[in-house]
Amino acid sequence: MDIKNILFSLSGANNAFYVSEASDIAYDILSKYAKTQKKSGLTVIGEIKGESDYTIMLDAHIDEVSFVVTNIDENGFLTVNKAGGIDIRALAAKTVTIHGKEKVTGVFCSTPPHLASGEVEYDDISKIKIDTMLGKKAKDIISVGDIVTYNTKPFELGNLVAGKSFDDRAGVVCLLELAERLSNKKLPCNVVFSLCDSEELGCRGSRTATFSVNPDEAIAIDVSFGDGPNISPDECGKVSSGAMVGIAPVLDEKISDKLIKLAKENNIPYQCEVMGDRTGTDCDVISITREGVKTGLLSIPLRNMHTDAEVLDIADIKSVCDILESYILSGGIKDV
Amino acid sequence: MFEILRELCCLDATSGNEDAVKNYIIEKIAPYCEYRVDNLGNIIAFKKGEKTPEKRLVIDAHMDEVGLIITSVTDGGFLKFKTVGGIDTAVLMSRKVMINGEIPGVITAKPIHLLEKEEAKKLPKADSLCIDIGANSKDAAQEKISLGDRAVIASDYIEAGDKILSKALDDRIGCAVLITLLKEDSEYDFYATFSVQEEVGLRGARTAVFAVNPDSAIVVEATTAADIADVPSEKRVCVQGEGAVISFMDNATVYDRKYYNAALNSGIKCQPKSAVAGGNNSGAIHLNREGVRTVSVSVPCRYIHSASSVADKGDIKSVLDMVRELKNGILGGKYD
């Protein structure tokens, strides 16, 4: 699988609420390797059967941070609400796609120079309007409740890549690659790929998806903070330095230990990410679904999280995939 | 004219580094006029008309655009930069940039998730921002770039109905208008200057106008349009769709009142610039030698100095018509 190309097509596609472009792409690919179905919302679930009843669920969320239109004024300017943890300081003069009756390009207003007055408080997104460039015609095409997404096209950045929604299409493409690798192998257990909705709204999609899959154990694949200027090394991982293995009170220690062991044995680049509380990922709800699920976390280090220019290294996605492959082939913690 | 405008906007020319635009313009105008390039890089063109007027007129537009200049490289391989010309930090956040027209970068900052609550409401200090070019060390970065290299904020060129969205509309619109006029037959001889370094203090126009030694000048520009949501009408400066903007005064110039009135009474769609704000090459031109009678004709431009400035095609046509009208009126002695 050409991981970069698939990541770019998933990144350029939009996926929020009723817009399911990325889910449709992922469904088409996953269907080649696994028995796949579309579930409620944007969730896509595929299963490859193994030689036992033991089921490992692998989770990556397929939604993205976005906006929802709450008002349209007479001159074609939109007020929007955030759907996810958007950095509203990074919106001025950014172009977006408005998913109305047709797709419309809009641009977040920036402050005209003569009206700039000292330090601005970025505490309320309703102060930052979107110019639809449609004037009075906006109301014919756009309605309250319509979704607005970033529209940045992904691009290569030296040895890295940049684009929107790598959080968590990087996890999605990792699982698609894994599905391809596992599809012609004998597996000691069932593997379910859960590409789920609404992580950015509080891990909602994984709650119902996990209930439905009812796995014996689970690993979530997400992105985490990569290194950068002004970021202390103790609060981030290092881009291009391999998979981040999560260690946290809410995660299963056996899973974390085995992931590290396999990375070491197979010379797969990895780094530990230790959290003192919950993880801020789907793990937090997967692990308390039904009677509880033993859960692990693998993350891909990423810069500029939740902006339209997230940056990561494809090699780190491969490292995560490599660890997962050996983890699945060794049966997870079934016999540990 | 709009095809020329598109091609001009897609070229990168930060102040002091205008070669790409200069070469493009020379190629376009060479068959239609005499021209030379002065020591700073200004193009000084002379258009032979049917008649040689008693007075000498120059029409000016600037070739440069705001951008960034690389000042140092961090140990981690990130690039520090200063802005060239006035750029609001808000429109730099998580932006794709192009360095030397070929190396992509991303402006990176600490993600909001890692900021204290109060810190997350404020823009980071401009000097804390860095450009990520995907180099993992200082040496790797220095192989690709040198100190002093220039960057622009990357943008698409989007036409949406009557609107154009792009970087550098300030002042490639002026350049496109001048090219159009030089290609036409003219009743009178006139001069045109495509000037450098406007955004760093109206510098190119000073030397170009000294060389031309005109009696009168028309400066063709883009000016702030604050006709956006939440701005009261008295602070809008000008309104898109209402035609060419004619200035009576800004922070650099008090304009020739006869020319100002002639423009407003011309019958061509226009509006007064209803604020004393900003400034343009008129500031340098009107003080040349013993003084130059100067008029400024501008296109209303939203989100100016960002990668998503927006202008209206109808306004651009009005500016072209107005400049042509004033040229013939001034050289015909209509406003003496």
Side-chain angles (χ1 to χ4, degrees):
Chain A
M1 181 176 291
D2 184 336
I3 292 181
K4 191 191 79 190
N5 274 347
I6 304 285
L7 176 65
F8 277 19
S9 76
L10 288 167
S11 162
N14 295 305
N15 227 41
F17 296 69
Y18 55 88
V19 181
S20 64
E21 297 164 359
S23 288
D24 294 343
I25 294 170
Y27 174 84
D28 288 344
I29 297 172
L30 189 57
S31 298
K32 289 193 268 181
Y33 312 117
K35 192 180 164 211
T36 302
Q37 50 181 322
K38 289 184 180 173
K39 305 284 277 188
S40 65
L42 303 169
T43 299
V44 173
I45 294 181
E47 179 171 21
I48 303 178
K49 285 279 185 198
E51 293 175 329
S52 73
D53 290 336
Y54 191 81
T55 298
I56 301 177
M57 184 183 83
L58 303 175
D59 165 290
H61 70 88
I62 199 162
D63 62 318
E64 68 192 71
V65 291
S66 61
F67 313 86
V68 58
V69 177
T70 56
N71 189 58
I72 307 158
D73 81 6
E74 293 303 319
N75 298 311
F77 290 88
L78 309 181
T79 311
V80 294
N81 216 323
K82 291 192 288 182
I86 300 253
D87 183 351
I88 67 172
R89 305 170 307 158
L91 297 180
K94 288 270 170 71
T95 53
V96 289
T97 300
I98 303 151
H99 299 267
K101 290 198 182 85
E102 54 194 75
K103 281 191 188 180
V104 173
T105 299
V107 55
F108 274 102
C109 296
S110 66
T111 310
H114 69 290
L115 298 177
S117 55
E119 204 164 64
V120 181
E121 281 247 304
Y122 290 85
D123 55 351
D124 181 4
I125 194 173
S126 73
K127 293 180 192 164
I128 312 172
K129 300 296 196 284
I130 294 175
D131 185 350
T132 62
M133 301 188 282
L134 290 169
K136 297 188 191 336
K137 283 180 245 162
K139 286 190 173 180
D140 300 337
I141 301 171
I142 300 164
S143 310
V144 166
D146 284 354
I147 296 306
V148 178
T149 54
Y150 290 134
N151 69 0
T152 319
K153 294 181 198 78
F155 57 97
E156 288 179 37
L157 188 73
N159 298 320
L160 310 180
V161 290
K164 69 177 261 296
S165 309
F166 286 176
D167 175 4
D168 183 29
R169 306 288 152 73
V172 171
V173 75
C174 178
L175 291 186
L176 295 176
E177 162 76 9
L178 181 67
E180 183 186 65
R181 291 190 197 178
L182 296 180
S183 60
N184 51 12
K185 292 200 169 87
K186 275 191 177 175
L187 305 182
C189 54
N190 302 322
V191 182
V192 175
F193 301 89
S194 174
L195 313 178
C196 67
D197 192 5
S198 291
E199 191 266 358
E200 302 294 0
L201 298 176
C203 305
R204 296 175 193 173
S206 63
R207 185 179 301 273
T208 55
T210 310
F211 183 91
S212 152
V213 173
N214 193 14
D216 294 292
E217 60 167 296
I219 297 177
I221 295 83
D222 208 331
V223 297
S224 188
F225 305 110
D227 59 327
N230 310 309
I231 305 175
S232 159
D234 62 357
E235 54 186 354
C236 65
K238 205 163 160 33
V239 172
S240 307
S241 295
M244 296 167 77
V245 181
I247 300 171
V250 302
L251 297 176
D252 185 82
E253 207 177 340
K254 289 199 188 80
I255 296 180
S256 302
D257 287 349
K258 182 157 184 189
L259 292 169
I260 291 168
K261 181 169 159 277
L262 290 171
K264 277 185 187 161
E265 283 173 9
N266 296 291
N267 290 318
I268 303 165
Y270 79 98
Q271 48 197 320
C272 292
E273 180 186 24
V274 182
M275 291 151 281
D277 194 342
R278 285 169 289 181
T279 64
T281 70
D282 278 339
C283 294
D284 300 348
V285 306
I286 293 170
S287 53
I288 52 169
T289 299
R290 295 199 186 224
E291 296 181 24
V293 178
K294 290 185 166 62
T295 304
L297 172 63
L298 285 172
S299 298
I300 299 142
L302 168 138
R303 295 183 182 134
N304 314 322
M305 191 183 288
H306 289 187
T307 72
D308 60 337
E310 297 176 327
V311 168
L312 59 77
D313 190 337
I314 299 282
D316 291 331
I317 299 178
K318 286 185 184 147
S319 297
V320 171
C321 193
D322 290 346
I323 297 175
L324 280 175
E325 185 181 9
S326 58
Y327 186 85
I328 297 295
L329 292 176
S330 69
I333 53 164
K334 182 157 92 74
D335 303 316
V336 176
Chain B
M1 180 171 63
F2 290 113
E3 182 56 22
I4 287 174
L5 177 58
R6 188 183 64 76
E7 289 176 356
L8 280 168
C9 286
C10 292
L11 298 170
D12 297 344
T14 49
S15 307
N17 190 19
E18 295 89 352
D19 282 357
V21 168
K22 184 182 74 188
N23 295 338
Y24 174 90
I25 290 172
I26 287 173
E27 191 190 309
K28 289 288 168 195
I29 66 172
Y32 304 101
C33 63
E34 298 166 27
Y35 72 90
R36 69 184 181 88
V37 176
D38 80 1
N39 291 327
L40 293 192
N42 295 302
I43 304 171
I44 299 170
F46 174 70
K47 176 74 182 180
K48 187 76 190 126
E50 292 157 27
K51 302 174 204 162
T52 299
E54 286 175 23
K55 299 279 172 74
R56 191 176 288 185
L57 168 73
V58 68
I59 310 176
D60 174 86
H62 67 89
M63 296 188 284
D64 60 318
E65 68 191 284
V66 295
L68 313 173
I69 186 164
I70 310 304
T71 54
S72 65
V73 183
T74 70
D75 291 339
F78 295 96
L79 315 183
K80 305 289 287 181
F81 63 90
K82 289 269 188 287
T83 60
V84 176
I87 304 181
D88 180 358
T89 302
V91 306
L92 295 174
M93 299 283 287
S94 73
R95 273 283 178 184
K96 179 183 182 182
V97 300
M98 286 301 286
I99 305 163
N100 301 336
E102 56 180 12
I103 301 166
V106 166
I107 299 179
T108 191
K110 196 170 183 175
I112 41 164
H113 316 68
L114 299 179
L115 297 177
E116 299 294 334
K117 210 173 171 191
E118 283 309 304
E119 215 181 351
K121 290 181 188 169
K122 289 173 189 151
L123 281 172
K125 297 255 180 294
D127 62 9
S128 75
L129 298 174
C130 288
I131 300 171
D132 182 356
I133 56 170
N136 56 13
S137 70
K138 191 171 189 169
D139 287 346
Q142 283 175 330
E143 274 173 30
K144 289 182 161 184
I145 63 99
S146 307
L147 301 189
D149 283 354
R150 311 300 169 85
V152 300
I153 310 175
S155 81
D156 291 326
Y157 186 92
I158 297 169
E159 292 195 38
D162 298 331
K163 306 287 188 191
I164 295 170
L165 179 150
S166 175
K167 74 175 181 70
L169 288 172
D170 170 14
D171 184 29
R172 302 293 152 72
I173 292 174
C175 294
V177 167
L178 261 62
I179 292 169
T180 306
L181 290 172
L182 287 169
K183 287 168 85 170
E184 295 174 0
D185 291 334
S186 178
E187 188 178 354
Y188 299 102
D189 302 348
F190 72 96
Y191 288 82
T193 51
F194 298 89
S195 52
V196 298
Q197 297 184 35
E198 193 266 356
E199 300 290 0
V200 290
L202 322 179
R203 298 167 56 79
R206 185 177 301 272
T207 62
V209 76
F210 181 89
V212 175
N213 190 15
D215 301 289
S216 304
I218 305 171
V219 173
V220 190
E221 259 287 10
T223 194
T224 297
D227 60 334
I228 59 177
D230 303 331
V231 177
S233 61
E234 72 274 15
K235 291 189 173 166
R236 296 193 156 187
V237 185
C238 55
V239 175
Q240 287 199 340
E242 297 293 312
V245 183
I246 316 297
S247 308
F248 50 83
M249 178 180 172
D250 58 33
N251 288 334
T253 310
V254 175
Y255 291 91
D256 185 276
R257 188 56 69 141
K258 280 189 185 164
Y259 291 172
Y260 170 77
N261 287 332
L264 292 186
N265 296 326
S266 64
I268 293 163
K269 198 169 189 182
C270 68
Q271 55 188 319
K273 179 170 174 174
S274 62
V276 177
N280 59 41
N281 272 339
S282 303
I285 292 171
H286 83 293
L287 297 178
N288 185 55
R289 298 197 189 214
E290 296 180 32
V292 177
R293 294 179 66 184
T294 302
V295 60
S296 174
V297 182
S298 302
V299 169
C301 189
R302 292 177 186 160
Y303 326 121
I304 203 161
H305 288 197
S306 82
S308 306
S309 42
V310 173
D312 183 282
K313 282 183 180 175
D315 293 333
I316 297 172
K317 285 183 200 143
S318 298
V319 165
L320 174 63
D321 291 344
M322 180 64 81
V323 175
R324 191 189 288 118
E325 173 82 8
L326 290 173
K327 167 176 77 87
N328 293 332
I330 289 169
L331 292 173
K334 230 170 131 182
Y335 322 128
D336 289 344

